Amino acid sequence: MPRSKGDHEARRRDVSAAVWQVMATRGFAGLTLRAVAAELGATTGLLTHYFPTKRALVAYALDLLEQRTLSRPRRPAGRGLAALRGALLDILPLTPEAIDSNRVWVSSWDAALSDPALAADYAGKYAQGRERLRTRVAAAQELGELPPGDAARIAASAQSFVLGLVVQALFDPTTFPPERQVELLDGYLAALAAEADGTA
Amino acid sequence: MPRSKGDHEARRRDVSAAVWQVMATRGFAGLTLRAVAAELGATTGLLTHYFPTKRALVAYALDLLEQRTLSRPRRPAGRGLAALRGALLDILPLTPEAIDSNRVWVSSWDAALSDPALAADYAGKYAQGRERLRTRVAAAQELGELPPGDAARIAASAQSFVLGLVVQALFDPTTFPPERQVELLDGYLAALAAEADGTA
């Protein structure tokens, strides 16, 4: 009896969930057809139908990471410094879902740095992220919430700060629970607000 | 004719150099006996003498990373804020050697996050790093170069900032050449120096 389209879609969702779960617990290094099959309670034979090669599995996993990042819940934008703070909070691993997706992002850096096309793609994504932060920094400056200064430099600095905090929090969640992460971010933003223009 | 001890040591150095080169270009994900053998111009058979299992190769690579990190050249310590700045500069990928070792560190995060013992080991190393930074922050505060405030918070923030800048610079060396990294660090330190105590 042929499978219905609904069955096919449901199975596809199950496969996505299993790939995600394997990445969140074992990283890209642990992402194998066998591990996904075990997570799914299926045979590796079934999975080769979806992923004929390891490369196809990795490409699928990267797409899944991108989709989940784009569709993640975000705080209301607000304006000025509040909008900047919200955008940075949206990145941090403050919830179980955000911990998983950050775990997968950090894990993907190894593969991405080893592949020139993928590294260029990541560099482009981070540049877009900095540009979004830059517009928020500039808006906060216009409102007088941040002192004048090179908004691009401040955006690059803020992005560095949150990325490094992500790494710290993933390795040491006891030392960096959500409230500590927020405290560190607020300390960072307070320093920005107090800063005279360091480049002047 | 039996090999001399000198031959053995020389070969061991060659193997280390080959393992390092593979990690710096392909990451941990690309670290295989075959890749090391190709780098060395040797057979995989010879390498199984050194590394009977993949696990042994990975353990060796992690030791090598630790050794190279401990023995890396460091700036003279100086005092106060200059010492803090020097310690942070020592971490950044400002030279080809520092780029390679940071590349290998970032690459190792995937494996480390997937292995509870290794993750705990990394968390301990980062905690030690923060403690070293904390003593420098406290010294700069005593000298009046940094405003009073929670030195542990400032150290954690500084470590986050440099780790994230490492990641940014590895992905986008064109946007983050050494002089831009130093400029960002100096902007970060200027903000710290200007900050009123954000936690007061």
Side-chain angles (χ1 to χ4, degrees):
Chain A
M1 195 175 73
R3 297 260 190 93
S4 73
K5 189 144 183 296
D7 284 347
H8 182 75
E9 288 300 317
R11 175 48 62 108
R12 208 161 174 90
R13 274 198 303 277
D14 290 347
V15 169
S16 292
V19 169
W20 187 253
Q21 188 55 35
V22 168
M23 286 198 293
T25 49
R26 306 188 190 195
F28 270 80
L31 181 64
T32 61
L33 284 180
R34 190 190 297 200
V36 176
E39 181 68 34
L40 197 59
T43 62
T44 53
L46 176 109
L47 281 176
T48 56
H49 170 70
Y50 291 91
F51 312 116
T53 63
K54 173 70 192 276
R55 200 179 175 80
L57 175 59
V58 169
Y60 182 84
L62 288 168
D63 278 350
L64 195 58
L65 174 57
E66 172 94 11
Q67 283 166 32
R68 294 218 174 190
T69 300
L70 290 174
S71 66
R72 73 175 191 263
R74 286 165 202 264
R75 285 160 184 76
R79 61 200 289 267
L81 195 54
L84 178 63
R85 181 175 186 267
L88 297 171
L89 285 173
D90 280 340
I91 296 169
L92 292 175
L94 301 175
T95 64
E97 294 72 26
I99 291 170
D100 280 355
S101 62
N102 273 296
R103 168 75 180 82
V104 177
W105 271 115
V106 170
S107 162
S108 76
W109 289 342
D110 184 18
L113 284 168
S114 309
D115 178 326
L118 204 49
D121 181 54
Y122 270 51
K125 282 191 217 306
Y126 287 123
Q128 286 169 17
R130 286 193 300 277
E131 177 53 22
R132 283 192 296 268
L133 293 176
R134 192 195 61 74
T135 60
R136 292 177 178 212
V137 168
Q141 289 174 326
E142 278 175 32
L143 290 169
E145 296 173 324
L146 288 180
D150 180 346
R153 178 180 64 74
I154 296 170
S157 172
Q159 190 177 48
S160 294
F161 173 79
V162 290
L163 281 182
L165 184 51
V166 164
V167 174
Q168 294 293 307
L170 290 178
F171 272 112
D172 199 343
T174 310
T175 304
F176 296 96
E179 59 274 20
R180 178 69 169 165
Q181 296 179 51
V182 174
E183 186 189 2
L184 287 165
L185 174 61
D186 285 335
Y188 175 79
L189 292 173
L192 279 190
E195 182 190 16
D197 181 10
T199 62
Chain B
M1 196 174 72
R3 297 261 190 91
S4 73
K5 186 144 183 297
D7 284 348
H8 182 75
E9 288 300 316
R11 173 47 64 107
R12 208 162 173 87
R13 275 199 302 278
D14 290 346
V15 169
S16 291
V19 169
W20 187 254
Q21 189 54 35
V22 168
M23 285 198 293
T25 49
R26 306 189 190 193
F28 270 80
L31 180 64
T32 61
L33 284 179
R34 189 189 298 199
V36 175
E39 181 67 33
L40 197 59
T43 61
T44 54
L46 175 110
L47 280 177
T48 56
H49 170 70
Y50 291 92
F51 312 115
T53 62
K54 173 70 192 277
R55 200 178 176 82
L57 175 60
V58 170
Y60 182 84
L62 288 168
D63 279 349
L64 195 59
L65 174 57
E66 172 95 10
Q67 285 165 31
R68 296 219 173 190
T69 300
L70 290 174
S71 66
R72 72 175 192 262
R74 285 165 203 265
R75 285 161 183 76
R79 61 198 291 267
L81 194 56
L84 177 64
R85 181 174 185 267
L88 297 171
L89 286 172
D90 279 341
I91 297 170
L92 292 175
L94 302 175
T95 64
E97 294 74 25
I99 291 169
D100 280 356
S101 62
N102 273 298
R103 167 75 180 84
V104 177
W105 271 116
V106 171
S107 162
S108 76
W109 289 341
D110 184 17
L113 283 169
S114 309
D115 178 327
L118 204 50
D121 181 54
Y122 271 50
K125 283 191 217 307
Y126 287 123
Q128 287 168 20
R130 285 193 300 276
E131 176 53 23
R132 284 192 297 270
L133 293 176
R134 192 195 60 74
T135 61
R136 293 178 177 210
V137 168
Q141 288 174 326
E142 277 174 32
L143 290 169
E145 295 173 328
L146 288 180
D150 180 346
R153 177 180 65 75
I154 296 170
S157 172
Q159 191 177 45
S160 294
F161 173 78
V162 289
L163 282 182
L165 184 51
V166 164
V167 174
Q168 294 294 306
L170 289 177
F171 274 111
D172 199 343
T174 309
T175 304
F176 297 95
E179 59 275 18
R180 178 68 169 164
Q181 295 179 52
V182 175
E183 185 189 3
L184 286 166
L185 174 60
D186 285 335
Y188 174 79
L189 293 174
L192 279 190
E195 183 190 15
D197 181 10
T199 64

